[in-house]
Amino acid sequence: MSTGGEDGHPGLSDTPSSIEDRHGQAKEHGRAGKDAASVSLRSVSSQSARYLSEWERYLRVNRADSPATVRAYISDTTGLLCYLGRHGKEDLRRVRLTDLRGWLAHEARGEAASSMARKVVSVRAFFSWLVASGHLRQDPAARLLSPKIGRHLPAVLTETEAARFLDDADARAAQNLAAKNPPTSAQRRRQACALRDAAILELLYATGMRVGELVGLDLTDIDEGRQTLLVHGKGSKDRTVPFGNPARQALDVWLGRGRPVLVGADSGAAVFLGLHGRRIDQRQVRRIVHGQAQKAGVPDISPHALRHSAATHLLDGGADLREVQEMLGHSSLATTQKYTHVSLRQIRQRYSQAFPRA
């Protein structure tokens, strides 16, 4: 059985949403998948429709998958069932590996290898569930292989670029705090946002959190004494992550001087708030990261690239691979091992620049 992870190559442990998140298409696929599934269900047999209903309930309740993941699984599986129905294979007991390969060949027209890999993950998981739940005796998808995807090392900032990226954000926050004239209400809110942005950037880099994990933080998840966060990861898996003094200082200033300015009736216990007092959303955090990269004059990066950078710099500094795995919340060590390749690449670059006989 192949293993993969949210940051690695697709495997049985990957979910469709996690694969797509690496290509920045999760939300678009979720909307399209929902529409496609509702239309295509009219084309499948009543038995297949029942299977899909049970499958969806299993994903939501038993596995506690996210809504985007469930939509992706259902969309891909529905597409397969419609194809099989058109080719006289409505009875899934008659489906063979050759039928699934035929579906793959049909779907591959104009599709990227990453999209096809996601579809294979969905279908293999579906048939595995059918066997486990007693609907089928044999699994025709057990030997269905994913197309190979080129190995792409993640983009990362150098340590110097990361320092410039964060120092610039901290300086902007400090500049806002130093304003002596009593600001207007609108100015106070802009100042609060500058403090919030610095805390967000420091925490993303210090902890290697995913964007979804950061926006989901509540005040009760902060342990100030131990200087740790309780991070709610994928698949309802919680982990405790430490953070350093720069992140602690930025977080303290945000909570003490910034958050009270933005807090409102809809704030709840959310750590990070938007301009109107509601929990900040992932799109806004992505805009903050991209905007800060431009302001600091470093290569444009996404929040996920900041996560890559944190992992790479930890390994460069001598951190243990399993410690980094635990910190990032990877289910497979193979996912974390990718960052060792990035570290080696940077070492080779520094060697070429510094060694006279390189």
Side-chain angles (χ1 to χ4, degrees):
M1 180 180 295
S2 62
T3 58
E6 64 277 21
D7 301 313
H9 301 300
L12 284 177
S13 63
D14 284 297
T15 62
S17 62
S18 67
I19 294 171
E20 290 210 339
D21 192 48
R22 293 193 296 275
H23 300 277
Q25 299 170 342
K27 289 189 176 181
E28 290 79 358
H29 176 77
R31 289 193 293 268
K34 186 176 181 181
D35 295 339
S38 61
V39 172
S40 300
L41 272 175
R42 303 168 190 165
S43 305
V44 303
S45 68
S46 58
Q47 183 185 57
S48 292
R50 285 195 301 273
Y51 286 160
L52 280 172
S53 179
E54 291 181 36
W55 171 231
E56 181 178 8
R57 185 166 59 250
Y58 170 80
L59 295 172
R60 284 190 294 101
V61 177
N62 295 69
R63 289 186 21 160
D65 284 337
S66 70
T69 298
V70 174
R71 285 195 297 269
Y73 270 119
I74 296 302
S75 174
D76 293 336
T77 308
T78 302
L80 169 69
L81 293 176
C82 290
Y83 171 87
L84 293 174
R86 291 195 300 270
H87 290 78
K89 291 294 181 77
E90 291 184 343
D91 185 350
L92 298 186
R93 293 171 299 181
R94 298 177 53 222
V95 174
R96 299 293 180 263
L97 179 60
T98 52
D99 300 315
L100 301 180
R101 286 173 174 166
W103 165 73
L104 274 181
H106 175 268
E107 293 289 304
R109 301 166 187 167
E111 289 277 3
S114 57
S115 297
M116 296 306 301
R118 187 206 68 230
K119 292 175 185 290
V120 172
V121 170
S122 300
V123 168
R124 278 165 43 180
F126 175 63
F127 277 97
S128 178
W129 168 79
L130 285 172
V131 173
S133 57
H135 294 305
L136 293 181
R137 296 181 61 184
Q138 294 183 331
D139 183 354
R143 293 187 291 120
L144 187 65
L145 300 178
S146 298
K148 290 187 176 182
I149 300 177
R151 187 181 185 89
H152 299 289
L153 295 178
V156 297
L157 296 178
T158 65
E159 293 178 27
T160 301
E161 290 169 342
R164 185 161 74 243
F165 175 83
L166 295 169
D167 288 346
D168 182 81
D170 293 340
R172 292 175 188 278
Q175 187 177 16
N176 275 277
L177 280 177
K180 294 182 179 180
N181 297 327
T184 65
S185 175
Q187 289 173 328
R188 286 199 302 271
R189 296 174 80 81
R190 283 196 294 272
Q191 288 179 346
C193 288
L195 303 183
R196 177 204 62 197
D197 294 353
I200 283 175
L201 298 170
E202 286 283 4
L203 272 185
L204 281 174
Y205 179 71
T207 64
M209 279 190 295
R210 304 175 181 93
V211 180
E213 295 169 343
L214 178 122
V215 302
L217 285 175
D218 286 335
L219 295 172
T220 53
D221 295 326
I222 304 172
D223 188 330
E224 295 182 2
R226 297 172 59 197
Q227 210 162 299
T228 60
L229 295 174
L230 179 62
V231 178
H232 308 289
K234 290 186 175 182
S236 301
K237 295 179 181 177
D238 293 347
R239 66 186 187 278
T240 300
V241 181
F243 55 92
N245 287 329
R248 178 188 60 77
Q249 293 167 4
L251 184 61
D252 286 347
V253 173
W254 155 245
L255 293 177
R257 305 277 299 271
R259 189 178 185 277
V261 176
L262 299 183
V263 73
D266 298 325
S267 299
V271 172
F272 293 110
L273 306 174
L275 189 61
H276 301 293
R278 291 185 288 273
R279 186 184 296 273
I280 198 168
D281 62 37
Q282 295 188 34
R283 285 179 296 179
Q284 190 168 357
V285 174
R286 291 189 177 95
R287 285 197 295 269
I288 290 169
V289 174
H290 287 298
Q292 179 55 28
Q294 185 176 23
K295 293 172 187 174
V298 302
D300 186 32
I301 57 168
S302 67
H304 214 63
L306 202 55
R307 171 174 162 89
H308 293 323
S309 302
T312 304
H313 299 165
L314 277 168
L315 291 170
D316 282 344
D320 180 78
L321 192 62
R322 289 200 176 275
E323 292 173 349
V324 176
Q325 176 193 6
E326 178 66 24
M327 177 176 167
L328 297 181
H330 289 157
S331 57
S332 168
L333 187 63
T335 304
T336 316
Q337 283 176 327
K338 166 175 50 178
Y339 298 108
T340 63
H341 297 285
V342 181
S343 297
L344 287 172
R345 180 179 63 186
Q346 292 187 345
I347 290 171
R348 284 194 295 269
Q349 289 175 345
R350 288 196 291 267
Y351 179 87
S352 299
Q353 293 169 358
F355 195 58
R357 296 180 67 84

